[in-house]
Amino acid sequence: MTNKMWGGRFAQGPSAIMAEINASIDFDKRLYAQDIAGSKAHAAMLAKQGIITKADATAIRKGLDEVKAEIDAGKFKFSAALEDIHMNVESRLKELIGEPAGRLHTARSRNDQVITDLRLFTRDAIDQLDAGLVDLLRALAEKAEAHAATIMPGFTHLQSAQPITFGHHMLAYVEMLSRDWGRFADARKRLNENPLGSAALAGTSFPIDRAMTTKELGFKSAMRNSLDAVSARDFLLETLAAASICAIHLSRLAEEIVIWSSAQFRFVKLSDKFTTGSSIMPQKRNPDAAELVRAKPGRILGAFMALAVVMKGLPMAYAKDMQEDKQQAFDALDNLALAIAAMAGMVRDLEPNKDILRAAANSGYATATDLADWLVQNVKMPFREAHHVTGRIVALAEKKSCLLSDLSLEEMQAIHSGITKAVFKVLTVEASVASRLSLGGTAPSNVRRESKRWKKFLKGK
């Protein structure tokens, strides 16, 4: 038996294997709201242009509302024999309203229908990610303000480098994730074009009004080339690229939470809300939420790569290969939204261990750079010489197993006679972070100002 929606050309139906590989309803049914919205806009336009009657358009609109209500309520029976969401909706519409349903597909093709649905879906997904990122940015800014003066070690190569503040560290992720926020906003601007009316690939001979459907569906403008409209998937590639970068940023923070919450570091503590236990070791508190966020880039970046490989060699215009654009994209965007929500929860939940952080910041001779800077400013020696002198002083402290501030003035003067007792003012971690007043520096006053600026900017977003 052929498919009654398109099978007039065929004497026989597809084989069972063909039917299975061809059907997409199992995953594209989640486009039903976008599909119905596009169909309602299309029907209204057809009626306005006199292509179908107003009575038919009214029947179509009411029927589509009924179909949507059935799907919303979980009462709709999807059929793999009808292949996809478009055919399933149209078939049920025909059952409900009869002949007028057959006029809905006038002046359009499944090619422009599916890409309209996908652009609407991606736009909705970006809006959801936008809301999630705003919440995460707020959480980070709030944590930064609360810990503007909480001292911790700053690392390079995962080795103690210079003292910083916990708030400054949180603000680093605010900056990173705000760029992700901007990338999604940019992708949304470029994808917000209307392909509906491009039909299969060449446009249509019917006197349609694409400006009307553009307005009805909230698009900024209509796409100006029908070939490009039905075959372009760069908007989804761009969204998945932004998602991949965002997931990588989340993974970096997740990795730090995993490290920081370990018994060896104890920099932060997560509550029971975002940890799990062990089935055999009763003492364990595992940062599973952070570990799962850390893993998400694999599947999200994989979705980008999968679509890139699908698209890389396709000629114009539509090809069935493009049916492979949805499953992994749906999965990637769903998982990114979940990861963002989980990270916002963890950021609000975690509590820094101030004493342990300060002690760690005070180890590893983290104020050595402050000593070198002091020599440049007060003894007027070139930085390279100051670096060398400081290195000798650090070696002495290391030999004595003490902090730089525990060395006597006489011991430091034995290495360079120009050193005075004023040097001790810069050797504490508090003095170190307070001195970093340059734009973007870790000084608590900077952190308070920046966190408040971000909170104000995010208010109402």
Side-chain angles (χ1 to χ4, degrees):
M1 180 180 176
T2 62
N3 188 315
K4 292 182 179 179
M5 307 299 283
W6 54 258
R9 164 69 173 77
F10 294 78
Q12 295 181 335
S15 71
I17 293 175
M18 177 60 193
E20 184 174 353
I21 196 173
N22 195 47
S24 59
I25 189 59
D26 285 347
F27 53 87
D28 69 16
K29 62 186 177 184
R30 71 179 295 174
L31 296 174
Y32 77 91
Q34 292 83 10
D35 192 71
I36 290 171
S39 290
K40 289 170 70 175
H42 184 66
M45 180 276 294
L46 292 176
K48 173 182 172 290
Q49 296 299 102
I51 299 170
I52 66 174
T53 66
K54 291 183 179 180
D56 282 349
T58 299
I60 289 169
R61 186 187 72 250
K62 290 181 179 179
L64 288 170
D65 286 340
E66 189 171 345
V67 173
K68 185 175 184 298
E70 289 179 359
I71 300 176
D72 287 341
K75 297 178 180 179
F76 190 94
K77 293 183 179 180
F78 293 100
S79 169
L82 292 169
E83 298 179 13
D84 55 33
I85 186 60
H86 325 297
M87 294 300 195
N88 271 264
V89 169
E90 188 176 333
S91 178
R92 178 57 178 149
L93 182 65
K94 186 176 181 181
E95 290 174 354
L96 291 171
I97 68 171
E99 185 182 18
R103 298 191 174 93
L104 172 59
H105 209 54
T106 307
R108 75 173 182 184
S109 162
R110 274 195 294 180
N111 294 358
D112 61 342
Q113 187 178 1
V114 66
I115 194 59
T116 301
D117 293 358
L118 191 55
R119 283 181 181 266
L120 291 172
F121 172 85
T122 307
R123 191 177 70 186
D124 291 343
I126 288 175
D127 290 344
Q128 181 187 5
L129 293 171
D130 179 277
L133 281 170
V134 167
D135 185 54
L136 175 53
L137 289 168
R138 286 192 186 120
L140 288 163
E142 289 163 3
K143 192 66 70 173
E145 185 177 32
H147 293 280
T150 299
I151 294 172
M152 69 173 289
F155 297 97
T156 62
H157 308 278
L158 203 57
Q159 303 295 312
S160 185
Q162 292 178 269
I164 60 170
T165 65
F166 194 84
H168 190 59
H169 201 109
M170 293 294 98
L171 287 177
Y173 284 102
V174 171
E175 294 291 334
M176 291 164 69
L177 291 163
S178 70
R179 292 193 293 273
D180 296 321
W181 190 26
R183 273 183 279 271
F184 283 118
D186 288 343
R188 192 189 192 283
K189 290 176 185 176
R190 273 183 286 277
L191 76 81
N192 200 29
E193 294 183 317
N194 181 19
L196 191 59
S198 299
L201 75 161
T204 178
S205 60
F206 288 94
I208 61 172
D209 183 353
R210 296 190 65 204
M212 179 179 173
T213 55
T214 295
K215 183 178 180 180
E216 287 285 321
L217 295 171
F219 287 114
K220 183 179 178 181
S221 59
M223 297 187 75
R224 302 188 70 86
N225 185 283
S226 57
L227 284 171
D228 176 52
V230 299
S231 64
R233 295 297 185 274
D234 55 331
F235 72 91
L236 188 53
L237 279 168
E238 184 177 9
T239 301
L240 291 173
S244 298
I245 297 170
C246 183
I248 289 167
H249 288 160
L250 293 175
S251 183
R252 293 183 69 180
L253 179 52
E255 166 70 351
E256 293 194 312
I257 291 173
V258 170
I259 293 172
W260 291 349
S261 61
S262 69
Q264 288 69 32
F265 274 74
R266 294 184 295 141
F267 281 5
V268 301
K269 183 178 180 180
L270 286 170
S271 77
D272 295 349
K273 295 178 182 178
F274 291 95
T275 56
T276 64
S278 165
S279 64
I280 188 172
M281 295 169 284
Q283 83 282 8
K284 293 292 293 298
R285 183 191 291 272
N286 299 322
D288 283 6
E291 291 172 348
L292 289 166
V293 170
R294 184 175 61 184
K296 294 300 182 186
R299 66 199 299 169
I300 295 170
L301 181 58
F304 169 80
M305 290 300 297
L307 181 57
V309 171
V310 167
M311 296 302 299
K312 70 172 182 61
L314 294 185
M316 289 290 184
Y318 181 80
K320 195 69 171 182
D321 309 52
M322 294 178 189
Q323 185 167 289
E324 295 295 314
D325 60 1
K326 299 174 190 66
Q327 282 175 286
Q328 293 184 75
F330 292 163
D331 179 81
L333 297 175
D334 288 346
N335 276 278
L336 180 60
L338 179 59
I340 290 170
M343 186 56 73
M346 282 187 284
V347 168
R348 289 193 171 97
D349 184 68
L350 65 83
E351 284 299 324
N353 293 318
K354 294 183 181 181
D355 291 342
I356 292 174
L357 284 167
R358 189 194 180 283
N362 211 28
S363 65
Y365 310 105
T367 58
T369 302
D370 299 272
L371 173 56
D373 290 346
W374 185 89
L375 290 169
V376 171
Q377 293 170 346
N378 294 275
V379 185
K380 307 303 180 184
M381 64 175 63
F383 181 79
R384 286 301 170 201
E385 182 182 348
H387 188 286
H388 180 73
V389 170
T390 299
R392 292 177 61 195
I393 294 173
V394 168
L396 176 61
E398 190 172 34
K399 183 178 179 180
K400 293 172 63 70
S401 298
C402 69
L403 300 175
L404 293 177
S405 57
D406 292 334
L407 292 171
S408 68
L409 177 61
E410 290 74 21
E411 287 172 318
M412 285 192 273
Q413 286 179 333
I415 293 173
H416 195 282
S417 60
I419 298 175
T420 68
K421 64 179 182 180
V423 73
F424 291 99
K425 293 181 180 180
V426 303
L427 296 182
T428 66
V429 290
E430 287 81 8
S432 177
V433 298
S435 70
R436 307 297 171 180
L437 290 165
S438 60
L439 179 65
T442 191
S445 57
N446 281 10
V447 174
R448 291 189 186 96
R449 183 175 62 251
E450 281 299 296
S451 58
K452 288 177 180 177
R453 183 182 72 82
W454 273 109
K455 285 173 65 180
K456 181 179 180 181
F457 177 75
L458 293 166
K459 190 175 182 180
K461 293 290 185 180

